């Protein structure tokens, strides 16, 4: 991306950060149209689509990002989150495990695996993944909530 386009990406990201998901999606989409296959733009467009509940479109976009940069753990993690939201737990698990192969202490991937196990009813495995997520990042407050919620469900 050239400098002017980089500024447009930063402007789109700022819209996203401020919660203007519609505006951010429009801005990311314009960047993807101008720079087809740009992994970062594809990822961010897919991410905002996921936040807006359009997971089929989001998965397609994030798969493009992964194709453009297969070693970027955040793209794989986002794809795992999308697959989990779609109920595609095997595919989500594969994504999270791939992230862990790149970063064995990714609290986000560990939490994602816990969420997959919880959704599949394997509460003991979920608790173990959530415990590992806490060890990896003790400041992730949401994981403590998931630990308690899962423990209470046992």
């Amino acid at each position: 991306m050239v400098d002017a386009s980089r500024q447009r990406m930063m402007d789109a990201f700022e819209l996203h950060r401020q919660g203007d998901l519609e505006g951010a999606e429009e801005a990311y989409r314009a960047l993807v149209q101008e720079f087809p296959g740009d992994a970062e733009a594809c990822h961010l467009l897919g991410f905002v689509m996921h936040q807006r509940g359009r997971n089929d479109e989001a998965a397609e976009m994030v798969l493009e990002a992964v194709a453009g940069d297969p070693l970027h753990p955040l793209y794989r993690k986002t794809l795992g989150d999308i697959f989990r939201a779609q109920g595609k737990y095997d595919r989500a698990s594969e994504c999270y495990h791939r992230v862990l192969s790149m970063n064995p202490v990714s609290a986000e991937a560990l939490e994602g695996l816990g969420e997959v196990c919880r959704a599949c009813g394997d509460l003991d495995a979920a608790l173990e993944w959530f415990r590992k997520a806490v060890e990896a990042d003790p400041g992730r407050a949401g994981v403590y909530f998931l630990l308690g919620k899962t423990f209470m469900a046992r």
Side-chain angles (χ1 to χ4, degrees):
M1 275 190 197
V2 293
D3 289 340
S5 298
R6 181 62 45 200
Q7 182 59 50
R8 289 190 4 242
M9 175 69 85
M10 290 170 46
D11 293 345
F13 188 79
E14 185 60 22
L15 289 170
H16 197 169
R17 191 189 67 73
Q18 292 174 359
D20 181 358
L21 300 183
E22 184 176 341
E25 181 176 341
E26 185 178 309
Y28 292 141
R29 187 177 306 283
L31 286 163
V32 168
Q33 288 173 348
E34 186 175 345
F35 301 97
D38 179 84
E40 183 179 14
C42 288
H43 172 255
L44 289 169
L45 177 56
F47 183 64
V48 79
M49 288 172 160
H50 169 57
Q51 289 179 304
R52 297 184 77 195
R54 297 198 335 268
N55 289 311
D56 292 341
E57 294 172 271
E60 288 178 28
M61 219 20 64
V62 178
L63 281 166
E64 273 191 56
V66 169
D69 189 352
L71 298 179
H72 199 300
L74 180 59
Y75 301 168
R76 298 269 181 183
K77 186 266 183 200
T78 300
L79 190 57
D81 292 345
I82 293 167
F83 285 147
R84 184 167 45 86
Q86 292 175 311
K88 297 177 180 177
Y89 301 122
D90 288 341
R91 293 190 75 185
S93 180
E94 289 171 17
C95 290
Y96 296 134
H97 280 290
R98 179 63 188 229
V99 171
L100 291 174
S101 75
M102 294 182 257
N103 177 7
V105 293
S106 169
E108 295 86 0
L110 295 164
E111 181 179 337
L113 284 166
E115 290 272 31
V116 166
C117 291
R118 190 174 194 290
C120 292
D122 188 348
L123 301 183
D124 289 333
L127 286 171
E128 188 57 32
W129 287 116
F130 292 145
R131 284 186 188 116
K132 288 179 181 181
V134 166
E135 288 173 17
D137 183 358
R140 285 185 72 78
V143 180
Y144 293 99
F145 173 76
L146 291 168
L147 266 169
K149 189 174 173 182
T150 305
F151 185 76
M152 295 299 290
R154 281 178 61 205

